[in-house]
Amino acid sequence: MSPVTVSRALAVLAAEGLVVTRPGSGAFRARHRAPAAPAGDTSWQEVALSADGAADLVPRSVDASGVLVSLAAPPHGVIEFNGGYLHPSLQPERAMAAALSRAGRRPGAWGRPPVEGLAELREWFARSIGGPVTAAGVLVTAGGQSALTTALRALAPPGAPVLVESPTYPGMLAIARAAGLRPVPVPVDADGVRPALLADAFRATGARVFVCQPLFQNPTGAVLAPERRGEVLRIAREAGAFVVEDDFVRRLVHEDAGPLPRPLAADDPDGVVVHVCSLTKATSPSFRVSALAAHGPVLERLRAIQVVDTFFVPRPLQEATLELVGSPAWPRHLRAVSADLRARRDAMTTALRLRLPELALPHVPSGGYHLWLRLPEGTAEPALTAAALRAGVAVTPGRPYFAAEAPAGHLRLSFAAVAGAGEIAEGVRRLRTACDDLPGQGFDAARPA
C-alpha cells in the first residue's frame, strides 16, 4: 500500500487512542485504556424539555426528518434518487479549489469581515437580483437554510401563523415549527400559488408572512405565472404582510427553459419581499454562501438577528466566492450544468413513462433537479419507500412536503445526485421492482419487455 494510505490509517488509529505516533521514532501501541464509565441517567431531560407550563402555545420539539431525507447518504450500492445536491461529477470542484487557493492569498483574507458581508460580494448579489435591490440591502449569510431561519425569526413572533405553499420544502416547515410558528398551507397548481386562496388565507389567519418559491418550486417545479406575480405582491401589501421569496435554484435552469422571470424582489419597490438566494445548489453542499435582501426597517432586524446567531460568514469563504463567480470557469460551469440537467431530466421522464406509467407526472419542470410524481390511489408511501430501499434505490416520500393532510400519495425523485443517465435508468428499473412487490396498491401495469 502507498505511504499516504499508511499515514491516513495511523491518523485514524491515533484519533481512536489505539496508537501513539512519535516523530522520528515511529508508531507505538497506546497504553490500555480504562473501561468507559457507565452511562448516566438522562431520563430527567424528558421532563425538562417538555414542562414549559400551560402558557406554551406550540410544541418545542423539532422534527428534522423531512430535512434528513435529502441529507443522509444512502447505504453503499443504493441509487440516490433522494439527494438534494449535485453529484460530485457536476460540481465545479477544480474551480472551487482554485478559487479557495487564490482567496487564501488575498490581503486580509483571514481577518474579520464586515458583519453584513464583503462589499464586493454584496454588490454582486444585488446585481444578480436586480430591480431596486442595492448592496446596502444585502446581507451575506451561511446558506439558504440559515437565511430562511433568520427571515422567519425576524418577521413573525412565536405562536404566529405563517402562510406556506402546499406542498412545500420540508426544511422550511421545520424552520417554522422550530421557531414556534404555525404553518398554514395555501395550495399551488401548475402556475404557482393560487392568489384567491392566498387572499382567503390572509383574511382567515391574520398572518403577516407568506413563504414561497416562485421559480421551479420545490417539490412541484412550478413557475409562478406572470399574471399572478403582481397579484401575490398586491395581496400581501394589502394584508400588511411580507413575502419571503426563496429563489433557491435560479442557477439550475435547464438548457431548454428560455428566458427566466425576474425575482419578485426586482419588481417590489415597497419592501414587501424579503429575498433569499444561495450558491450552494449550483456548487457544493459545503459551499454555503447565500444572500438575504430586504428594503426598509426590516433590514436592521434581519441584520441584528444574523449577528446574534452567527456573527458573520467566514471571510475566506466570501473571498473564495468572489474568486469563483469572477472567473471564466463560473459561466462555463453553469452552461455545462444546464445542459446536463436537461439530459438527466429527459432520461428520467423517458424511463418513468416506459417502466412506471402508473406514476402520474403532471408537470415536467425546466429547472431544478427533481420530479414530483403522484402515486396511484391507495398506495402507502411508507411501504413503497421501504420496498424501494430494499430494491436498491432511495426515494423521497411526499408526506413531509405538506403542512396539513396530504391530498394524495407522492414521491419526489431527484436526477441530480446520481452519476448519470445509466444510473437513472437502473434506478427506475429498481423502482419498478419495488412497485411490483406491492400487490393491490395500484401498480397493475405489466412489466415492460
Side-chain angles (χ1 to χ4, degrees):
M1 63 184 69
S2 73
V4 173
T5 302
V6 173
S7 177
R8 288 177 176 172
L10 287 174
V12 172
L13 292 172
E16 294 178 354
L18 299 176
V19 302
V20 176
T21 57
R22 298 171 186 161
S25 299
F28 303 86
R29 186 174 62 183
R31 292 182 179 178
H32 180 69
R33 291 180 294 181
D41 180 6
T42 61
S43 58
W44 63 273
Q45 294 184 5
E46 295 184 42
V47 178
L49 291 171
S50 304
D52 294 316
D56 194 28
L57 299 177
V58 291
R60 291 181 59 196
S61 60
V62 180
D63 182 6
S65 58
V67 182
L68 291 173
V69 166
S70 60
L71 290 178
H76 178 70
V78 172
I79 293 176
E80 191 174 0
F81 278 178
N82 63 335
Y85 299 101
L86 297 179
H87 188 268
S89 64
L90 297 180
Q91 297 174 19
E93 291 186 349
R94 288 187 177 182
M96 290 188 295
L100 194 57
S101 177
R102 294 193 301 268
R105 297 192 296 269
R106 283 188 169 200
W110 296 92
R112 182 177 61 192
V115 293
E116 300 89 352
L118 297 180
E120 302 95 324
L121 186 54
R122 295 164 67 201
E123 178 63 37
W124 183 85
F125 272 118
R127 287 197 307 270
S128 67
I129 298 168
V133 178
T134 66
V138 173
L139 304 173
V140 178
T141 61
Q145 191 79 355
S146 174
L148 287 172
T149 299
T150 298
L152 288 185
R153 287 185 56 202
L155 301 177
V162 56
L163 304 187
V164 300
E165 294 173 314
S166 181
T168 191
Y169 166 51
M172 193 278 300
L173 294 176
I175 290 171
R177 289 166 177 149
L181 305 176
R182 296 185 290 110
V184 178
V186 183
V188 301
D189 58 22
D191 292 322
V193 69
R194 297 168 60 183
L197 295 181
L198 179 64
D200 290 344
F202 273 125
R203 283 192 295 268
T205 65
R208 293 293 179 265
V209 181
F210 168 52
V211 186
C212 65
Q213 295 174 327
L215 186 67
F216 309 133
Q217 195 257 0
N218 183 10
T220 65
V223 177
L224 187 62
E227 62 274 14
R228 293 186 181 184
R229 291 168 55 88
E231 275 289 281
V232 168
L233 294 180
R234 179 189 62 78
I235 290 167
R237 182 69 182 85
E238 291 178 355
F242 290 96
V243 173
V244 177
E245 178 185 27
D246 183 11
D247 199 17
F248 72 117
V249 285
R250 180 168 292 271
R251 294 173 180 86
L252 294 187
V253 59
H254 299 171
E255 194 177 41
D256 59 348
L260 297 183
R262 303 200 309 173
L264 291 179
D267 297 325
D268 168 43
D270 300 325
V272 173
V273 177
V274 174
H275 179 89
V276 174
C277 61
S278 173
L279 295 178
T280 303
K281 293 295 186 186
T283 54
S284 157
S286 291
F287 205 94
R288 305 202 66 76
V289 178
S290 62
L292 186 58
H295 175 61
V298 69
L299 182 64
E300 182 55 34
R301 184 178 294 185
L302 294 166
R303 176 181 178 274
I305 290 178
Q306 174 174 299
V307 169
V308 169
D309 282 352
T310 61
F311 287 5
F312 48 76
V313 175
R315 183 162 188 156
L317 191 53
Q318 295 191 54
E319 299 279 9
T321 304
L322 284 170
E323 290 282 354
L324 177 64
V325 300
S327 71
W330 179 243
R332 287 200 303 267
H333 164 66
L334 294 181
R335 287 193 298 270
V337 168
S338 177
D340 206 306
L341 289 180
R342 176 191 178 180
R344 288 161 175 255
R345 178 205 67 195
D346 291 347
M348 181 171 277
T349 54
T350 299
L352 288 169
R353 286 165 177 161
L354 176 65
R355 289 190 175 272
L356 280 163
E358 304 96 329
L359 298 180
L361 178 58
H363 176 66
V364 178
S366 56
Y369 52 90
H370 60 264
L371 301 177
W372 181 244
L373 299 150
R374 181 165 177 154
L375 299 177
E377 186 80 22
T379 304
E381 281 183 14
L384 178 54
T385 54
L389 194 58
R390 289 193 301 270
V393 58
V395 299
T396 305
R399 182 64 188 88
Y401 291 81
F402 292 91
E405 292 79 7
H410 291 83
L411 286 183
R412 198 193 78 158
L413 302 184
S414 169
F415 47 79
V418 294
E423 196 164 83
I424 289 173
E426 173 61 16
V428 173
R429 187 195 68 77
R430 295 181 186 185
L431 186 57
R432 172 78 258 179
T433 299
C435 294
D436 289 342
D437 289 339
L438 297 173
Q441 296 208 35
F443 295 98
D444 302 321
R447 181 188 296 272

